[in-house]
Amino acid sequence: MQTKLTVIPAIATIDLVKLSPELDGSNGANRAIGNRPQITVNTDADAIKIWLARYFDTKTTFDSYRKEAERLLLWSVVELGKPLSSLSHEDFLVYQRFLANPLPAERWIMSQRKVARDDSKWRPFAGPLSPTSQRQAIVILNGMFSWLVNAGYLAGNPLSLSRNRQRKAKPRVTRFLDEDLWKEVKLTIESMPRETNREREHYQRVRWLFSLLYITGLRVSEVTQNTMGGFFNRKDKSSESRWWLEITGKGDKTRIVPATNELMLELSRYRREMGLHLTPIEGESTPLFLPIGGKLRAMTRSAVHLILKQIFNITAKRLRERGADSLILATRLEAASAHWMRHTAGSNMTSSDMDIRHVRDNLGHESISTTNNYLHSEDDKRHQDTEERHKLSW
């Protein structure tokens, strides 16, 4: 009697991997039986794609969710030799350890930083996942399995048996530019050359980018995914005309952010440099931030990150040249990333005694507890009180 062999697939993306009937999930042990499924697909890969389709319009979320689903699918069929729809609670205990150390490295970890998804050198991991990334992966997969159960594709969610740990209170935000560092960054921008047309354009767009991020607290992804058509004007109860910026952000949620007079002035400067009418027209398709040369297309997130990082590094270099007294500031700026500007905006709003509910709505936080993490002034007062009243008295 000849033994039937299951062919283990090569590592490939969810769009390219070829699975045999024994591995594709059509007969998975956890498949729902005797119900009326709400989706018509019959394989694990296709079920995942249906789940992912809900996030197609939000690229960052889509990419993140696809990455985690793809990793689990490949691990299940390659390492365990079983379909994703046959995974048990015990399997996930093993998978969590795998995320911390995906071996063998040649099978799972990319040897190059940038590899196209259709390249044979592509691998699901860039390296071992940190504890935070491991938890995030399980959260995403738990959401996916819950949805597949609700859709009638799976009988149960093996991750629902995991121990729910009490969430630790988040510490105060520390990755932000204080007033001194923010002044140094602005000095760097104001020192940029403006002799040629290209230099002037570069200066104006950098100034606009930092102004936009500081006043609004937008995420970089929100800068790249929204347009100037989101600006609109309306009168308040006192008949004063006020500008707003409508933003579609994280979780595909829409909010409106005050566009202050300062911000609108910076926008007019930038639009004049780009040869556009000074005031945006509601609904126009011009991206919020444009590439050099005036092409009306959105910048990528990585390109915007690079611009911000360059300004931080130039500022840090200047601070280092001042001597030892500025080394701490320089080191801090060298560690800064694009998201520091969002934290800087939130920190300045709260330290200026703005209503915490207004700060929450400006930043698009779901919970006011998240916004409370920017209340550094309370920490400062607590430190001062401890300093003055809590003495060693040797």
Side-chain angles (χ1 to χ4, degrees), residues 268-300:
S268 295
R269 290 172 58 119
Y270 180 52
R271 286 176 65 92
R272 181 191 297 115
E273 185 64 36
M274 304 304 292
L276 300 170
H277 189 275
L278 297 186
T279 305
I281 301 170
E282 190 172 341
E284 73 172 80
S285 60
T286 307
L288 278 175
F289 190 61
L290 297 163
I292 286 285
K295 293 181 180 178
L296 298 183
R297 59 176 174 80
M299 299 280 289
T300 64

CSV table of all heavy atoms in Angstrom, one decimal, residues 268-300:
chain,number,residue,atom,x,y,z
A,268,SER,N,-1.2,79.2,2.8
A,268,SER,CA,-1.2,80.1,1.7
A,268,SER,C,0.2,80.3,1.2
A,268,SER,O,0.4,80.4,0.0
A,268,SER,CB,-1.7,81.5,2.2
A,268,SER,OG,-3.1,81.3,2.6
A,269,ARG,N,1.2,80.4,2.1
A,269,ARG,CA,2.6,80.5,1.7
A,269,ARG,C,3.0,79.3,0.8
A,269,ARG,O,3.7,79.5,-0.2
A,269,ARG,CB,3.5,80.6,2.9
A,269,ARG,CG,3.4,81.9,3.7
A,269,ARG,CD,4.2,81.7,5.0
A,269,ARG,NE,5.6,81.4,4.8
A,269,ARG,CZ,6.7,82.2,5.1
A,269,ARG,NH1,6.4,83.3,5.7
A,269,ARG,NH2,7.9,81.8,4.9
A,270,TYR,N,2.7,78.1,1.3
A,270,TYR,CA,3.0,76.9,0.6
A,270,TYR,C,2.3,76.8,-0.8
A,270,TYR,O,3.0,76.5,-1.8
A,270,TYR,CB,2.7,75.7,1.4
A,270,TYR,CG,3.0,74.4,0.8
A,270,TYR,CD1,4.3,74.1,0.3
A,270,TYR,CD2,2.1,73.4,0.7
A,270,TYR,CE1,4.6,72.9,-0.2
A,270,TYR,CE2,2.4,72.1,0.2
A,270,TYR,CZ,3.7,71.9,-0.3
A,270,TYR,OH,4.0,70.7,-0.9
A,271,ARG,N,1.1,77.1,-0.8
A,271,ARG,CA,0.3,77.1,-2.1
A,271,ARG,C,0.8,78.1,-3.1
A,271,ARG,O,0.9,77.8,-4.3
A,271,ARG,CB,-1.2,77.2,-1.8
A,271,ARG,CG,-1.8,76.0,-1.1
A,271,ARG,CD,-3.3,76.2,-0.8
A,271,ARG,NE,-4.1,76.4,-2.0
A,271,ARG,CZ,-4.8,75.5,-2.6
A,271,ARG,NH1,-4.7,74.2,-2.2
A,271,ARG,NH2,-5.5,75.7,-3.7
A,272,ARG,N,1.2,79.3,-2.6
A,272,ARG,CA,1.7,80.3,-3.5
A,272,ARG,C,3.0,79.8,-4.1
A,272,ARG,O,3.2,79.9,-5.3
A,272,ARG,CB,2.0,81.6,-2.7
A,272,ARG,CG,2.6,82.7,-3.6
A,272,ARG,CD,3.1,83.9,-2.8
A,272,ARG,NE,2.1,84.5,-2.1
A,272,ARG,CZ,2.1,84.5,-0.7
A,272,ARG,NH1,3.0,83.9,0.0
A,272,ARG,NH2,1.1,85.2,-0.1
A,273,GLU,N,3.9,79.1,-3.3
A,273,GLU,CA,5.1,78.6,-3.8
A,273,GLU,C,4.9,77.5,-4.9
A,273,GLU,O,5.6,77.3,-5.8
A,273,GLU,CB,6.0,78.0,-2.7
A,273,GLU,CG,7.3,77.5,-3.1
A,273,GLU,CD,8.2,78.6,-3.6
A,273,GLU,OE1,8.2,79.8,-3.1
A,273,GLU,OE2,9.0,78.4,-4.5
A,274,MET,N,3.8,76.7,-4.7
A,274,MET,CA,3.5,75.6,-5.6
A,274,MET,C,2.7,76.1,-6.8
A,274,MET,O,2.2,75.3,-7.6
A,274,MET,CB,2.7,74.5,-4.8
A,274,MET,CG,3.5,74.0,-3.6
A,274,MET,SD,5.1,73.4,-4.0
A,274,MET,CE,4.7,71.9,-5.0
A,275,GLY,N,2.4,77.4,-6.9
A,275,GLY,CA,1.6,77.9,-8.0
A,275,GLY,C,0.1,77.7,-7.9
A,275,GLY,O,-0.5,77.6,-9.0
A,276,LEU,N,-0.4,77.5,-6.7
A,276,LEU,CA,-1.8,77.2,-6.5
A,276,LEU,C,-2.5,78.4,-6.0
A,276,LEU,O,-1.8,79.3,-5.5
A,276,LEU,CB,-1.9,76.0,-5.5
A,276,LEU,CG,-1.3,74.7,-5.9
A,276,LEU,CD1,-1.4,73.7,-4.7
A,276,LEU,CD2,-2.0,74.1,-7.1
A,277,HIS,N,-3.8,78.5,-6.1
A,277,HIS,CA,-4.6,79.5,-5.5
A,277,HIS,C,-4.4,79.6,-4.0
A,277,HIS,O,-4.2,78.5,-3.4
A,277,HIS,CB,-6.1,79.3,-5.9
A,277,HIS,CG,-6.9,80.5,-5.5
A,277,HIS,ND1,-7.4,80.7,-4.2
A,277,HIS,CD2,-7.3,81.6,-6.2
A,277,HIS,CE1,-8.1,81.8,-4.2
A,277,HIS,NE2,-8.1,82.3,-5.4
A,278,LEU,N,-4.3,80.7,-3.4
A,278,LEU,CA,-3.9,80.8,-2.0
A,278,LEU,C,-4.8,80.1,-1.1
A,278,LEU,O,-4.4,79.5,-0.1
A,278,LEU,CB,-3.9,82.3,-1.6
A,278,LEU,CG,-2.8,83.2,-2.2
A,278,LEU,CD1,-2.8,84.6,-1.6
A,278,LEU,CD2,-1.4,82.5,-2.2
A,279,THR,N,-6.1,80.0,-1.4
A,279,THR,CA,-7.1,79.4,-0.6
A,279,THR,C,-7.6,78.1,-1.2
A,279,THR,O,-8.0,78.1,-2.4
A,279,THR,CB,-8.3,80.3,-0.3
A,279,THR,OG1,-7.9,81.5,0.2
A,279,THR,CG2,-9.3,79.7,0.6
A,280,PRO,N,-7.5,77.0,-0.5
A,280,PRO,CA,-8.0,75.7,-1.1
A,280,PRO,C,-9.5,75.7,-1.3
A,280,PRO,O,-10.3,76.4,-0.6
A,280,PRO,CB,-7.6,74.7,0.0
A,280,PRO,CG,-7.6,75.4,1.3
A,280,PRO,CD,-7.1,76.8,0.9
A,281,ILE,N,-9.9,74.9,-2.3
A,281,ILE,CA,-11.3,74.8,-2.6
A,281,ILE,C,-11.8,73.5,-2.0
A,281,ILE,O,-11.2,72.5,-2.1
A,281,ILE,CB,-11.6,74.8,-4.1
A,281,ILE,CG1,-11.0,76.0,-4.8
A,281,ILE,CG2,-13.0,74.6,-4.5
A,281,ILE,CD1,-11.0,76.0,-6.3
A,282,GLU,N,-12.9,73.6,-1.3
A,282,GLU,CA,-13.5,72.4,-0.6
A,282,GLU,C,-13.7,71.3,-1.6
A,282,GLU,O,-14.3,71.5,-2.7
A,282,GLU,CB,-14.8,72.7,0.1
A,282,GLU,CG,-15.3,71.6,1.0
A,282,GLU,CD,-16.5,72.1,1.8
A,282,GLU,OE1,-16.7,73.3,1.9
A,282,GLU,OE2,-17.2,71.2,2.3
A,283,GLY,N,-13.1,70.1,-1.4
A,283,GLY,CA,-13.2,69.0,-2.2
A,283,GLY,C,-12.1,68.8,-3.3
A,283,GLY,O,-12.1,67.8,-4.0
A,284,GLU,N,-11.2,69.8,-3.3
A,284,GLU,CA,-10.1,69.6,-4.3
A,284,GLU,C,-9.2,68.4,-4.0
A,284,GLU,O,-9.1,68.1,-2.8
A,284,GLU,CB,-9.3,70.9,-4.5
A,284,GLU,CG,-8.3,71.2,-3.3
A,284,GLU,CD,-7.4,72.4,-3.7
A,284,GLU,OE1,-7.9,73.6,-3.5
A,284,GLU,OE2,-6.3,72.2,-4.0
A,285,SER,N,-8.6,67.9,-5.0
A,285,SER,CA,-7.9,66.6,-4.8
A,285,SER,C,-6.4,66.8,-4.6
A,285,SER,O,-5.6,65.8,-4.5
A,285,SER,CB,-8.0,65.8,-6.1
A,285,SER,OG,-7.5,66.4,-7.2
A,286,THR,N,-5.9,68.1,-4.4
A,286,THR,CA,-4.5,68.3,-4.2
A,286,THR,C,-4.0,67.7,-2.8
A,286,THR,O,-4.7,68.0,-1.8
A,286,THR,CB,-4.2,69.8,-4.1
A,286,THR,OG1,-4.7,70.5,-5.3
A,286,THR,CG2,-2.7,70.1,-4.0
A,287,PRO,N,-3.0,66.8,-2.8
A,287,PRO,CA,-2.6,66.2,-1.6
A,287,PRO,C,-2.1,67.3,-0.6
A,287,PRO,O,-1.7,68.4,-1.0
A,287,PRO,CB,-1.4,65.3,-2.0
A,287,PRO,CG,-1.7,65.0,-3.5
A,287,PRO,CD,-2.3,66.3,-4.0
A,288,LEU,N,-2.2,66.9,0.7
A,288,LEU,CA,-1.8,67.9,1.7
A,288,LEU,C,-0.3,68.2,1.6
A,288,LEU,O,0.1,69.3,2.0
A,288,LEU,CB,-2.1,67.3,3.1
A,288,LEU,CG,-3.5,67.4,3.7
A,288,LEU,CD1,-3.6,66.6,5.0
A,288,LEU,CD2,-3.9,68.9,3.9
A,289,PHE,N,0.5,67.3,1.1
A,289,PHE,CA,1.9,67.5,1.0
A,289,PHE,C,2.4,66.9,-0.3
A,289,PHE,O,2.1,65.8,-0.7
A,289,PHE,CB,2.6,66.8,2.2
A,289,PHE,CG,4.1,67.1,2.3
A,289,PHE,CD1,4.5,68.4,2.6
A,289,PHE,CD2,5.0,66.1,2.2
A,289,PHE,CE1,5.8,68.7,2.7
A,289,PHE,CE2,6.4,66.4,2.4
A,289,PHE,CZ,6.8,67.7,2.6
A,290,LEU,N,3.1,67.8,-1.0
A,290,LEU,CA,3.5,67.4,-2.4
A,290,LEU,C,5.0,67.2,-2.6
A,290,LEU,O,5.8,67.7,-1.8
A,290,LEU,CB,3.1,68.6,-3.4
A,290,LEU,CG,1.6,68.9,-3.4
A,290,LEU,CD1,1.4,70.3,-4.0
A,290,LEU,CD2,0.9,67.8,-4.3
A,291,PRO,N,5.4,66.4,-3.6
A,291,PRO,CA,6.8,66.2,-3.9
A,291,PRO,C,7.4,67.4,-4.5
A,291,PRO,O,6.7,68.3,-5.0
A,291,PRO,CB,6.8,65.0,-4.8
A,291,PRO,CG,5.5,65.0,-5.5
A,291,PRO,CD,4.5,65.6,-4.5
A,292,ILE,N,8.7,67.5,-4.5
A,292,ILE,CA,9.4,68.6,-5.2
A,292,ILE,C,9.1,68.6,-6.7
A,292,ILE,O,9.0,67.5,-7.3
A,292,ILE,CB,11.0,68.5,-5.0
A,292,ILE,CG1,11.4,68.9,-3.6
A,292,ILE,CG2,11.7,69.3,-6.0
A,292,ILE,CD1,11.4,70.3,-3.4
A,293,GLY,N,8.8,69.7,-7.3
A,293,GLY,CA,8.5,69.8,-8.7
A,293,GLY,C,7.0,70.0,-9.0
A,293,GLY,O,6.6,70.2,-10.1
A,294,GLY,N,6.2,70.0,-7.9
A,294,GLY,CA,4.8,70.4,-8.1
A,294,GLY,C,3.9,69.3,-8.7
A,294,GLY,O,2.8,69.6,-9.0
A,295,LYS,N,4.4,68.1,-8.8
A,295,LYS,CA,3.5,67.0,-9.3
A,295,LYS,C,2.4,66.8,-8.3
A,295,LYS,O,2.6,66.7,-7.1
A,295,LYS,CB,4.3,65.7,-9.5
A,295,LYS,CG,5.3,65.8,-10.6
A,295,LYS,CD,6.0,64.5,-10.8
A,295,LYS,CE,7.0,64.6,-12.0
A,295,LYS,NZ,7.8,63.4,-12.2
A,296,LEU,N,1.1,66.8,-8.7
A,296,LEU,CA,0.0,66.7,-7.8
A,296,LEU,C,-0.3,65.2,-7.5
A,296,LEU,O,-1.3,64.6,-7.8
A,296,LEU,CB,-1.3,67.3,-8.5
A,296,LEU,CG,-1.2,68.8,-8.8
A,296,LEU,CD1,-2.5,69.3,-9.3
A,296,LEU,CD2,-0.8,69.6,-7.5
A,297,ARG,N,0.7,64.6,-6.7
A,297,ARG,CA,0.5,63.3,-6.3
A,297,ARG,C,1.0,63.2,-4.8
A,297,ARG,O,1.8,64.0,-4.4
A,297,ARG,CB,1.3,62.3,-7.1
A,297,ARG,CG,2.8,62.5,-7.2
A,297,ARG,CD,3.5,61.4,-7.9
A,297,ARG,NE,4.9,61.7,-8.1
A,297,ARG,CZ,5.9,61.5,-7.2
A,297,ARG,NH1,5.5,61.0,-6.0
A,297,ARG,NH2,7.1,61.8,-7.5
A,298,ALA,N,0.4,62.3,-4.1
A,298,ALA,CA,0.8,62.2,-2.7
A,298,ALA,C,2.2,61.6,-2.4
A,298,ALA,O,2.7,60.9,-3.2
A,298,ALA,CB,-0.3,61.3,-2.0
A,299,MET,N,2.8,62.1,-1.4
A,299,MET,CA,4.1,61.5,-1.0
A,299,MET,C,3.8,60.2,-0.3
A,299,MET,O,2.8,59.9,0.3
A,299,MET,CB,4.8,62.5,0.0
A,299,MET,CG,5.1,63.9,-0.6
A,299,MET,SD,6.6,63.9,-1.6
A,299,MET,CE,7.8,63.7,-0.4
A,300,THR,N,4.9,59.4,-0.2
A,300,THR,CA,4.8,58.1,0.5
A,300,THR,C,5.1,58.4,2.0
A,300,THR,O,5.7,59.4,2.3
A,300,THR,CB,5.7,57.1,0.0
A,300,THR,OG1,7.1,57.5,0.2
A,300,THR,CG2,5.5,56.8,-1.5
